Amino acid sequence: MSMELDPDEVFGDEEDDPETEFFKEREATKELLVYLVDASPKMFSTTCPSDDEKTATHFQVAINSIAQSLKSQIINRSYDEVSICFFNTREKKNLQDLSGIYVFNVPEREDLDRPTARLIKEFDLIEERFAKDIGSKYGIVPGSRENSLYNALWVAQALLRKGSAKTADKRILLFTNEDDPFGNLKGVVKVDMMRTTLQRAKDAQDLGIAIELLPLSQPDDEFNVSLFYADLLGLEGDDLAQFKALVGERFEDLKDQLRKRIFKKRRVRRLRLVIFNGLSIELNTYALIRPTNPGRITWLDSMTNLPLKIERSFICADTAAIIQEPPKRFQSYKNENIMFSVAELSEVKRVSTGHLRLLGFKPLTCLKDYHNLKPATFVFPSDEEVIGGTCLFVALHRSMVRLKRFAVAFYGSSSHPQLVALVAQEEIMTSSGQVEPPGMHLIYLPYSDDIRPIEELHTDPNSVPHATDDQIKKASALVKRIDLKDFSVCQFANPALQRHYAVLQALALDEDEMPEIKDETLPDEEGMARPGIVKALEEFKLSVYGENYEEEDSNIEGKVEPTRKRKANAMKEYGNYDWADLADNGKLKDLTVVELKYYLGAHNLPVTGKKEVLISRILTHMDSLGASSYGWHPCIEIFAQCP
Amino acid sequence: EQEALVLVLDVGPSMHSVLPEIEKVCSLMIQKKLVFSRYDEVGFVLFGSADTKNELTEEVGGYEHVTVLRNIKVVDEDLVDALQSLPRGSVPGDFLDAIVVGMDMLIKKFGQTNKGKKRLCLITNAVSPIKDPFEGTKEDQVNTIATQMAAQSMKMDCIIVRMKQDWETNRRVMEENDFLMSVFSNKSSSKVVYVESPTSLLGALRTRNILPVTIYRGDFEISAQLKIKVWVYKKTSEEKFPILKKYSDKAHPTDKFATHEIKVDYEYQSIEDPNKVVPPDQRIKGFQYGPQVVPISSAELEAVKFKPEKSVKLLGFTDATNIMRHYYLKDVNSFIGEPGNKKAILALSALARTMKEMNKVAIVRCVWRQGQGNVVVGALTPNVSDKDNTPDSFYFNVLPFAEDVREFQFPSFSNLPSSMQPNEKQQEAADKLVQMLDLAPPGKQEVLPPDFTPNPVLERYYRYLDLKSKHPDAAVPPLDETLRKITEPDVELLFRNKSIIEEFRRSFELKDNPKMKKSARRMKERPSGSDEEREEFDKDADAKAIDSMEYSSKTKVEKVGDVNPVEDFEEMLSRRDDPKWINKAIHDMKNRIFDLVENSYEGDTFHKALECLVVLRKGCILEQEPKQFNDFLCHLSKFCQEKDLRSFCQYLTSNDITLITKAEAPDSEIPEHEARSFMVKPELDSQNMKPEAKVENDIMSIYLGGK
């Protein structure tokens, strides 16, 4: 049993819940990543538009995107290891002692290691420290044999020596705005240095290290990948064209673009879509949207702060004997225990093969807003095993978009066989790049067993009110006023999660002050107070509620809250007893509990507890009122409200 | 929360074809009651029966051919059995008579008590006319009954089963009956649904009564000045597979009171000293932050954690197109005006109608309970009712936060290399397929609508549960044919569109990627615990066979298994440590193929069997064992003829499976021209037949991808 287990949560469903697997991204492999950042003077002298209409240098853009990705990584994938390495620096700091290379790190951390709270915090401050501690300096200059790019690849490769290529994805992410690093050299020196650099890159790639380029370009000076980097990355033909299409033109929001490219696409699994028997294509599935939860809980010994080992044992309820994980399950039915073997249960669930089977197509209007149970899964075709699948997928995709139809398929997973809708999504591009990738979204459909007839509960044979045209008109004016023009899904940070991690970070760094987190999800009260909106609101309110909106609240037809009803009854009965007399003569105990409650109810006192408790509560209350309790009649106040 | 239910079932002659499904769904409902609501009371009434047996006929006369098979009483196992074998009636039934008998039973048993928990459930095709009343019109009569039903606070669910053949009967009667049904649904708490397929019938009856509870009652704050009282329910919520208890066999066999249950106990042990158990008050929660585990006591956590106020607040409205369908994150809620609060219902109605018109959604921020540690942001979409007696409402879908989204980049389709771009002909084939393989044809009922499609796993489980209660050792029966309609494409639909399907097949050619070495890769990529079945790809089996001949495995295979027979077979053949493996492999493979063919359902395993046969043939040629193959093929062919599996023989011919000839293996005694002689019946000899005709004859060959 793993140590991270939180038994409080696991207790609920002892079966291995495949759902939890669904919500996690597969963590089969971890990632080792080196951020290789060009720190040459050119990175500081070139600027590009940024948030709030300020400009930022390319260096700032690169640093900011790395800082942001570190923060999301520590939440989402904290097992991955990272290293941050600058090249074209004045100072040097690396194991190989190569000049122009500076590996940034903080104490208690190896150069390539999981990100820590401290790393994140100090990296946030790097800009201020950079000029003083690290410094920027061209590393490839005429007349010198130094080659900072070569050195950078060497250091990165050495950092990534850790871990086997089989169990880890190794990547170098190269940030630079120099498309021609050897441009200022000439002749044999240039050729020679280019050759050795390319060889260095090829050696790294042969070791299973992927090198990815994140070029920073400017509106008037596009990054020309063909000059040098196409060779270094080994891009040719279609790949090169694709790469160019991806980086070209979209320089408006560079930071956005970088942030998107830093994340490596992680496939959840490979799926086979059976179009008909004998014709199937391969799809890769991706979890683009999954709720992020505060990380797992580890139970610690409060004395030592060391993790505790959780031992689970099965105990026979009849004999208290400790037993091994039993092979049989049972359900009580017809006064008997019906037994099932685990194999039988999994056979029951096996209603189809483990593939996605196309059943047919329906118009998009058949997909209702309530046909949803869990987050969708994105699918994208692959030609890895079978050539021609992508072409078929693209053809279906185009037809489905054009005809406004979705595909219905049966997904026969062994744990959770389900009907799914495949909805074709067209690519959507904005100035900051791709916002919706092209492909299909697999939406898990509910069965009739999962849908509840809520509306039926609220039907009324005597017909229920529906809005009049005037009321609809007033509502329409209101809707137009309170319009969120640029609303985009997921524009809000989750305030609970932000708070949680801010607290963790503060505690991890032994900070005393707890950070304040802004809750972005609160309504814009200032905006709502604008006269136009207030007026539209008032008109709508008037058209629906009439003049006396305030009273509507307490005046619900035909419904009296049970407590109020009880209280009203208590009031009525209360007057029939001479409570003071009963108390003085010790006769309260002769009353029934129901009778005692008349008193308690009338005085708004709690009515729970045993008879003795009730009596003592009454006596205490009488004491507190003193002798004047006699003619006191609280009834009037309350009855005034319920005629 | 016990319910009293009277099932009112039409068993008249026109219903006979759907009675098997009705038996299934009604008995399933009772089974679920036995598991989840054992104190519910059920009675059941048949109409259209030859006999007459009800109290009304004795008291006032009339009401013929209505039989009360069981008076209202607490559910028991006899009821399950009774519903599993309904008698077939011989007279067209009068559903109105039957409804009255059912109502009478409920009134006699409960009078005015049991408000809101009395229910009638009528299943009929409503194709037979009801009798003319003594006075007034049929409509008047239905009105009276519906009013009485409302007065008694009874509910009624009507399922009208209209299969294809029903449409050929009297249309006028049907229209009249449909009108009368609509009177019920307008005048009382009755729901009328029409189903056109057995599968929908299984989904139309609510087999488990779950009392919906609100997750929020309170203000929907449009602004500080305008608050609308709403109730929020769950609209969808997954009905999970039941969690079974673990069974302990430790109790003494004679112990009558043994529970056989198993308790799970957790012990928290110190890492330094495993014998030291740490009590709850000495434990503290730690949260992972990078490599660090940060301890936070419950009190500390409570002090610093995010604590929003219980509320539902409007953030604003936005175009519906801004919210894409795939952003819906969880199960769905319903927002509905507070019952009895006319103004609140009106306010929601006005908003819903205007939003529908303007194609807008509302973005809201919700905290359902006080003390809930997080907020939910989601979209309200209008659900405008087309019925007078149902209020307008909203659906609420949770939307993701910034942290929940991975912005992976994918190549544009327009940037893909031209080999991956469909040409005009291919696009046309795809267009036709998307249009014609239609599950919601105009004028007909949608096929497999989620609202009427039952969960096949749960159906299967409860049926198996009942079977096991009678035969404890019974194996899991194969998936019911009606349920199979959910998991597999409809053969009839495929058949209707076979030319389009053929065209589509011809337009897209798929081939193996030669760069990938299949077997080796398959082994590697299969993640442990993956639920992917390692079934073979339906591809050119021949090419693959050669491909994987070269493959030698590290772990030695000793038998041909069910999952990857082709690979197992090839690996065994390539074992050179002992010649016995070759015979064993051939022997095993023959058995596999037999199993596959014998256990096929509508040909679902034929393709796999064919693949096996192809490698077996190849293997027998390589290993110089032609006789083994030839004898087997003849035997198999004969077997199929006898067992009514001729479609498999045809499948083999259409895929050009032949005996191994002398030219291929010198030991063979079969000359070239007799290569197809394993087919016993001369008319099936494909040499005498045009390939087109063959395809015409057999749906299966299309269904199975014959060329």
Side-chain angles (χ1 to χ4, degrees):
Chain A
M1 195 56 20
S2 84
M3 294 192 305
E4 285 91 356
L5 182 84
D6 172 23
D8 298 336
E9 281 167 29
V10 173
F11 221 90
D13 43 11
E14 291 163 28
E15 300 299 323
D16 301 4
D17 188 358
E19 285 296 89
T20 50
E21 192 218 346
F22 172 82
F23 283 104
K24 266 188 296 176
E25 276 181 83
R26 192 176 286 285
E27 301 201 9
T29 56
K30 70 175 176 184
E31 185 175 83
L32 307 180
L33 177 61
V34 176
Y35 292 105
L36 207 53
V37 186
D38 189 351
S40 77
K42 190 179 173 186
M43 287 287 284
F44 291 86
S45 60
T46 326
T47 57
C48 58
S50 163
D51 306 342
D52 358 312
E53 284 153 38
K54 272 186 262 170
T55 55
T57 65
H58 278 167
F59 186 77
Q60 283 170 326
V61 172
I63 294 298
N64 284 340
S65 7
I66 293 170
Q68 226 176 53
S69 73
L70 286 176
K71 282 173 195 159
S72 94
Q73 190 203 335
I74 200 167
I75 297 178
N76 280 316
R77 301 196 49 88
S78 77
Y79 287 91
D80 290 349
E81 299 184 13
V82 294
S83 175
I84 302 161
C85 173
F86 296 102
F87 66 104
N88 290 327
T89 55
R90 186 186 67 226
E91 306 298 324
K92 65 179 173 185
K93 181 169 156 283
N94 58 79
L95 281 176
Q96 289 73 22
D97 207 32
L98 296 167
S99 67
I101 310 297
Y102 192 98
V103 178
F104 175 83
N105 203 1
V106 294
E108 291 169 45
R109 193 179 167 275
E110 287 179 49
D111 282 347
L112 180 76
D113 206 342
R114 298 163 64 180
T116 61
R118 191 154 176 190
L119 179 79
I120 288 176
K121 186 155 175 120
E122 293 200 13
F123 190 73
D124 271 343
L125 306 171
I126 184 121
E127 236 189 289
E128 297 154 32
R129 285 182 35 200
F130 194 84
K132 181 170 160 280
D133 295 349
I134 303 173
S136 166
K137 186 186 168 200
Y138 283 114
I140 303 170
V141 285
S144 148
R145 298 295 295 182
E146 282 299 336
N147 182 344
S148 52
L149 183 56
Y150 177 94
N151 290 352
L153 290 170
W154 186 355
V155 168
Q157 183 190 322
L159 284 167
L160 290 169
R161 198 168 289 149
K162 192 171 168 182
S164 115
K166 276 180 197 137
T167 56
D169 282 332
K170 299 182 176 185
R171 287 201 299 158
I172 297 172
L173 277 184
L174 183 65
F175 295 75
T176 181
N177 61 356
E178 179 56 78
D179 53 9
D180 190 11
F182 303 99
N184 54 0
L185 302 183
K186 284 198 178 64
V188 191
V189 184
K190 177 174 179 175
V191 173
D192 192 45
M193 278 171 73
M194 277 174 76
R195 188 183 52 76
T196 50
T197 309
L198 292 177
Q199 188 56 46
R200 185 86 251 167
K202 190 171 176 301
D203 289 349
Q205 284 158 335
D206 288 346
L207 288 169
I209 297 171
I211 303 178
E212 285 171 37
L213 176 67
L214 282 85
L216 298 109
S217 57
Q218 275 183 290
D220 50 351
D221 181 17
E222 194 181 312
F223 192 97
N224 185 352
V225 73
S226 304
L227 285 178
F228 173 71
Y229 279 103
D231 285 341
L232 184 126
L233 303 174
L235 292 177
E236 49 189 72
D238 290 333
D239 292 341
L240 181 58
Q242 260 185 43
F243 186 88
K244 280 183 171 170
L246 205 61
V247 293
E249 293 174 35
R250 294 175 236 145
F251 31 72
E252 271 181 45
D253 197 339
L254 206 48
K255 201 173 109 189
D256 242 18
Q257 208 187 109
L258 289 185
R259 182 179 44 127
K260 288 176 186 172
R261 296 202 54 214
I262 283 172
F263 286 105
K264 190 183 161 64
K265 280 197 296 238
R266 282 167 199 275
R267 179 174 79 191
V268 178
R269 68 166 37 126
R270 181 178 300 193
L271 256 187
R272 187 171 138 206
L273 172 64
V274 183
I275 313 280
F276 315 112
N277 276 17
L279 185 72
S280 52
I281 63 171
E282 272 173 89
L283 304 174
N284 287 330
T285 70
Y286 300 87
L288 297 190
I289 299 169
R290 291 291 180 272
T292 307
N293 298 314
R296 285 207 214 152
I297 292 170
T298 306
W299 283 98
L300 307 174
D301 184 333
S302 61
M303 305 297 182
T304 60
N305 276 350
L306 285 174
L308 294 170
K309 191 165 170 259
I310 299 173
E311 201 60 50
R312 181 169 73 161
S313 46
F314 297 108
I315 299 167
C316 171
D318 301 316
T319 62
I322 292 192
I323 45 187
Q324 294 301 307
E325 169 100 44
K328 291 254 178 199
R329 304 281 189 274
F330 73 100
Q331 162 136 33
S332 305
Y333 176 67
K334 296 181 180 174
N335 302 320
E336 268 179 82
N337 290 336
I338 311 294
M339 314 268 284
F340 294 91
S341 69
V342 174
E344 281 167 338
L345 289 174
S346 67
E347 179 60 27
V348 166
K349 291 184 186 177
R350 215 174 62 91
V351 290
S352 171
T353 56
H355 311 301
L356 204 52
R357 258 193 121 144
L358 179 72
L359 303 181
F361 300 88
K362 290 181 185 178
L364 281 171
T365 48
C366 287
L367 185 63
K368 305 291 184 210
D369 281 322
Y370 62 93
H371 292 162
N372 210 70
L373 286 173
K374 50 185 180 179
T377 296
F378 182 72
V379 300
F380 197 83
S382 152
D383 268 18
E384 220 175 295
E385 281 200 13
V386 188
I387 294 174
T390 304
C391 178
L392 193 155
F393 183 91
V394 172
L396 285 180
H397 181 270
R398 291 202 173 129
S399 304
M400 285 159 67
V401 168
R402 198 174 62 75
L403 297 165
K404 298 191 172 62
R405 294 171 81 85
F406 68 96
V408 178
F410 193 80
Y411 179 30
S413 89
S414 63
S415 56
H416 230 77
Q418 219 163 349
L419 274 171
V420 296
L422 281 162
V423 179
Q425 173 65 50
E426 266 189 297
E427 181 178 31
I428 297 181
M429 305 275 280
T430 66
S431 54
S432 61
Q434 192 180 58
V435 277
E436 289 295 334
M440 295 192 198
H441 290 280
L442 202 143
I443 289 161
Y444 302 87
L445 297 173
Y447 291 115
S448 60
D449 318 57
D450 310 325
I451 301 174
R452 299 182 177 176
I454 302 304
E455 300 79 3
E456 278 170 39
L457 281 181
H458 288 250
T459 55
D460 187 332
N462 306 318
S463 94
V464 294
H466 293 285
T468 63
D469 287 345
D470 177 61
Q471 288 162 340
I472 295 174
K473 218 175 94 194
K474 295 289 182 335
S476 149
L478 181 67
V479 170
K480 273 186 203 131
R481 284 282 175 184
I482 316 179
D483 192 31
L484 304 169
K485 283 246 158 33
D486 300 318
F487 181 79
S488 88
V489 171
C490 64
Q491 69 180 34
F492 303 119
N494 181 344
L497 211 59
Q498 290 296 326
R499 168 78 67 96
H500 177 79
Y501 281 106
V503 166
L504 284 191
Q505 189 177 15
L507 290 173
L509 297 169
D510 282 328
E511 283 169 359
D512 292 333
E513 214 161 298
M514 284 299 149
E516 268 310 307
I517 292 293
K518 185 170 172 264
D519 183 352
E520 303 167 354
T521 64
L522 283 165
D524 170 17
E525 279 175 26
E526 230 171 85
M528 292 292 275
R530 277 198 294 265
I533 292 183
V534 171
K535 184 162 166 276
L537 268 166
E538 283 306 321
E539 285 180 1
F540 174 65
K541 197 157 108 180
L542 190 66
S543 80
V544 173
Y545 287 87
E547 298 289 348
N548 21 359
Y549 165 77
E550 306 305 329
E551 287 160 34
E552 287 300 328
D553 261 7
S554 50
N555 193 6
I556 299 165
E557 278 176 41
K559 295 257 169 181
V560 183
E561 284 172 51
T563 49
R564 192 180 293 175
K565 209 162 146 189
R566 195 175 337 126
K567 204 167 286 165
N569 189 37
M571 286 300 169
K572 229 187 298 171
E573 300 291 340
Y574 175 80
N576 298 336
Y577 301 83
D578 186 346
W579 297 99
D581 184 55
L582 290 167
D584 287 348
N585 298 317
K587 284 187 178 158
L588 281 177
K589 65 178 184 349
D590 298 335
L591 298 180
T592 64
V593 169
V594 175
E595 289 173 305
L596 291 173
K597 283 183 180 172
Y598 294 149
Y599 182 95
L600 295 166
H603 290 273
N604 267 333
L605 297 170
V607 293
T608 52
K610 288 185 177 168
K611 189 169 180 178
E612 302 85 76
V613 178
L614 300 186
I615 292 174
S616 88
R617 196 176 291 146
I618 291 174
L619 294 174
T620 319
H621 182 253
M622 285 181 162
D623 282 351
S624 73
L625 288 176
S628 70
S629 67
Y630 272 101
W632 189 73
H633 273 286
C635 324
I636 301 129
E637 281 177 320
I638 297 170
F639 273 124
Q641 285 180 353
C642 3
Chain B
E1 299 308 331
Q2 298 140 23
E3 171 191 64
L5 170 76
V6 175
L7 284 167
V8 182
L9 308 176
D10 187 347
V11 295
S14 61
M15 288 292 286
H16 289 185
S17 62
V18 289
L19 282 179
E21 306 308 326
I22 293 175
E23 287 170 343
K24 279 179 215 160
V25 70
C26 291
S27 57
L28 184 73
M29 177 168 70
I30 305 304
Q31 277 174 252
K32 284 200 185 173
K33 281 187 187 294
L34 283 173
V35 174
F36 298 107
S37 26
R38 269 192 290 182
Y39 301 105
D40 279 3
E41 295 177 83
V42 176
F44 87 94
V45 178
L46 305 180
F47 63 105
S49 54
D51 308 335
T52 302
K53 180 174 163 272
N54 63 71
E55 287 184 9
L56 282 179
T57 195
E58 289 158 23
E59 289 163 11
V60 298
Y63 300 98
E64 287 99 3
H65 306 295
V66 179
T67 308
V68 177
L69 265 197
R70 181 176 144 125
N71 274 313
I72 301 168
K73 60 177 187 181
V74 173
V75 286
D76 56 35
E77 44 198 282
D78 296 341
L79 188 56
V80 178
D81 295 340
L83 283 165
Q84 276 168 352
S85 48
L86 292 174
R88 268 51 176 169
S90 54
V91 187
D94 180 327
F95 64 84
L96 202 59
D97 274 359
I99 290 176
V100 174
V101 170
M103 281 174 71
D104 179 59
M105 287 163 72
L106 282 169
I107 292 169
K108 281 186 178 139
K109 173 105 184 180
F110 298 104
Q112 284 292 338
T113 63
N114 252 27
K115 269 211 167 70
K117 292 166 201 159
K118 288 174 287 191
R119 190 157 71 105
L120 287 164
C121 179
L122 169 73
I123 307 180
T124 176
N125 53 8
V127 294
S128 326
I130 61 166
K131 285 186 279 294
D132 279 315
F134 292 118
E135 54 191 53
T137 60
K138 289 180 183 176
E139 187 188 346
D140 294 341
Q141 203 185 7
V142 170
N143 257 323
T144 315
I145 295 170
T147 312
Q148 173 72 355
M149 210 179 263
Q152 298 281 342
S153 68
M154 283 180 201
K155 290 181 180 170
M156 180 164 74
D157 290 327
C158 306
I159 300 173
I160 316 290
V161 193
R162 290 272 167 77
M163 304 295 171
K164 231 186 281 164
Q165 69 270 12
D166 295 326
W167 291 101
E168 287 147 26
T169 51
N170 197 336
R171 191 164 283 270
R172 196 191 55 75
V173 172
M174 250 162 51
E175 275 163 13
E176 182 188 61
N177 285 343
D178 290 353
F179 168 73
L180 295 174
M181 283 297 169
S182 74
V183 174
F184 269 116
S185 95
N186 290 331
K187 289 278 152 74
S188 62
S189 296
S190 298
K191 184 177 73 164
V192 181
V193 297
Y194 290 83
V195 295
E196 288 177 9
S197 76
T199 316
S200 290
L201 171 58
L202 294 187
L205 185 68
R206 197 159 294 282
T207 50
R208 186 173 166 192
N209 251 353
I210 294 174
L211 194 74
V213 286
T214 49
I215 58 167
Y216 176 85
R217 292 184 191 192
D219 290 334
F220 171 26
E221 299 173 34
I222 304 295
S223 75
Q225 287 77 40
L226 176 57
K227 297 170 181 178
I228 304 171
K229 293 269 181 218
V230 294
W231 284 16
V232 182
Y233 292 90
K234 276 198 175 298
K235 174 66 189 169
T236 60
S237 176
E238 191 184 331
E239 183 173 345
K240 296 245 165 71
F241 194 85
I243 295 169
L244 275 62
K245 291 178 184 145
K246 295 186 168 70
Y247 186 84
S248 164
D249 54 6
K250 292 282 182 258
H252 197 270
T254 57
D255 182 356
K256 287 272 186 301
F257 302 102
T259 63
H260 296 289
E261 287 181 26
I262 289 175
K263 289 191 180 124
V264 187
D265 187 54
Y266 292 93
E267 233 172 43
Y268 296 74
Q269 300 167 347
S270 159
I271 288 224
E272 293 157 317
D273 175 11
N275 294 323
K276 187 185 147 203
V277 174
V278 180
D281 58 333
Q282 283 172 34
R283 299 198 296 252
I284 185 168
K285 279 179 181 171
F287 289 90
Q288 198 87 35
Y289 192 65
Q292 280 167 281
V293 177
V294 181
I296 308 182
S297 71
S298 302
E300 255 181 316
L301 193 63
E302 199 48 44
V304 298
K305 97 175 188 200
F306 182 62
K307 285 186 287 269
E309 285 291 309
K310 170 182 170 177
S311 61
V312 170
K313 294 173 194 282
L314 174 78
L315 300 184
F317 300 93
T318 191
D319 287 337
T321 48
N322 274 343
I323 314 293
M324 267 165 270
R325 187 59 174 72
H326 59 265
Y327 284 113
Y328 291 0
L329 204 59
K330 294 186 174 163
D331 40 19
V332 186
N333 295 330
S334 258
F335 268 58
I336 210 155
E338 185 179 51
N341 187 335
K342 277 200 173 137
K343 300 296 161 87
I345 295 172
L346 266 180
L348 282 195
S349 168
L351 286 172
R353 288 179 182 229
T354 198
M355 281 162 63
K356 188 180 177 191
E357 213 169 277
M358 298 167 73
N359 199 25
K360 294 276 183 183
V361 303
I363 306 297
V364 288
R365 170 198 194 266
C366 308
V367 180
W368 308 123
R369 295 182 311 275
Q370 195 59 40
Q372 177 181 319
N374 62 344
V375 299
V376 178
V377 172
L380 287 181
T381 49
N383 173 27
V384 172
S385 161
D386 49 7
K387 282 172 74 179
D388 281 348
N389 57 6
T390 313
D392 295 333
S393 59
F394 285 98
Y395 297 124
F396 173 81
N397 270 290
V398 179
L399 296 174
F401 286 113
E403 293 89 342
D404 305 337
V405 179
R406 318 271 168 279
E407 293 173 290
F408 295 159
Q409 304 284 289
F410 289 83
S412 299
F413 285 165
S414 49
N415 286 341
L416 291 174
S418 58
S419 64
M420 292 186 183
Q421 310 268 5
N423 59 32
E424 223 170 283
K425 190 175 143 268
Q426 288 172 322
Q427 194 58 58
E428 203 179 305
D431 280 357
K432 272 196 201 140
L433 186 78
V434 171
Q435 206 146 30
M436 299 310 292
L437 212 61
D438 194 357
L439 297 181
K444 281 200 196 144
Q445 209 163 39
E446 181 184 340
V447 179
L448 299 177
D451 299 75
F452 291 144
T453 307
N455 182 340
V457 174
L458 292 181
E459 295 272 327
R460 197 182 192 193
Y461 171 73
Y462 288 108
R463 290 184 201 174
Y464 186 44
L465 177 69
D466 193 58
L467 179 67
K468 275 213 156 196
S469 73
K470 292 163 186 159
H471 311 283
D473 296 324
V476 187
L479 191 64
D480 178 271
E481 196 183 333
T482 317
L483 297 175
R484 219 173 248 269
K485 294 252 160 47
I486 302 167
T487 67
E488 286 176 11
D490 179 15
V491 181
E492 214 179 295
L493 179 69
L494 295 181
F495 184 64
R496 269 204 309 279
N497 293 297
K498 66 178 178 181
S499 61
I500 288 168
I501 291 168
E502 277 306 290
E503 179 61 34
F504 188 82
R505 266 185 210 287
R506 271 197 298 275
S507 304
F508 293 95
E509 205 184 326
L510 304 182
K511 32 178 208 293
D512 274 344
N513 189 346
K515 284 186 206 154
M516 299 297 273
K517 202 167 164 196
K518 193 172 161 72
S519 314
R521 190 183 53 247
R522 292 234 122 214
M523 299 299 283
K524 190 178 126 210
E525 98 191 3
R526 183 174 164 225
S528 58
S530 149
D531 64 21
E532 289 287 358
E533 280 204 5
R534 288 188 61 205
E535 235 184 71
E536 277 309 303
F537 269 47
D538 298 355
K539 277 177 297 179
D540 189 349
D542 240 356
K544 194 172 59 225
I546 297 162
D547 184 294
S548 26
M549 281 293 179
E550 300 155 7
Y551 170 71
S552 74
S553 122
K554 282 187 191 91
T555 50
K556 299 205 165 156
V557 175
E558 301 196 341
K559 72 179 210 310
V560 178
D562 281 333
V563 187
N564 293 304
V566 171
E567 282 167 16
D568 292 346
F569 176 74
E570 284 160 353
E571 282 173 33
M572 277 172 78
L573 280 196
S574 62
R575 282 185 75 155
R576 294 295 166 199
D577 51 339
D578 190 331
K580 76 169 186 199
W581 293 118
I582 293 168
N583 269 325
K584 169 105 169 57
I586 293 174
H587 176 258
D588 280 8
M589 195 56 158
K590 288 177 185 171
N591 287 341
R592 273 296 139 269
I593 295 170
F594 250 116
D595 291 350
L596 283 169
V597 175
E598 197 173 7
N599 298 331
S600 78
Y601 175 82
E602 291 187 358
D604 59 345
T605 57
F606 285 5
H607 191 84
K608 194 166 174 181
L610 175 71
E611 285 184 346
C612 292
L613 209 55
V614 168
V615 287
L616 179 64
R617 189 175 189 280
K618 197 152 219 89
C620 286
I621 297 172
L622 274 177
E623 300 298 336
Q624 293 298 317
E625 296 281 355
K627 192 168 184 319
Q628 288 226 40
F629 179 82
N630 290 345
D631 290 352
F632 174 70
L633 189 58
C634 293
H635 180 55
L636 182 68
S637 163
K638 191 155 161 266
F639 171 81
C640 290
Q641 305 283 348
E642 285 163 5
K643 297 278 173 184
D644 216 22
L645 284 162
R646 281 185 201 87
S647 55
F648 184 66
C649 296
Q650 292 183 25
Y651 185 58
L652 293 184
T653 23
S654 63
N655 281 284
D656 283 327
I657 290 288
T658 61
L659 297 173
I660 298 173
T661 62
K662 224 173 163 49
E664 289 173 292
D667 290 351
S668 167
E669 291 153 7
I670 310 291
E672 194 75 24
H673 64 274
E674 278 177 28
R676 292 168 199 274
S677 63
F678 65 94
M679 290 296 171
V680 185
K681 294 261 168 95
E683 71 266 28
L684 288 172
D685 190 330
S686 69
Q687 280 176 329
N688 302 330
M689 234 162 120
K690 287 186 184 138
E692 289 82 0
K694 192 173 62 205
V695 172
E696 285 294 327
N697 279 347
D698 187 5
I699 317 171
M700 290 325 296
S701 66
I702 294 170
Y703 183 50
L704 292 161
K707 280 154 201 148

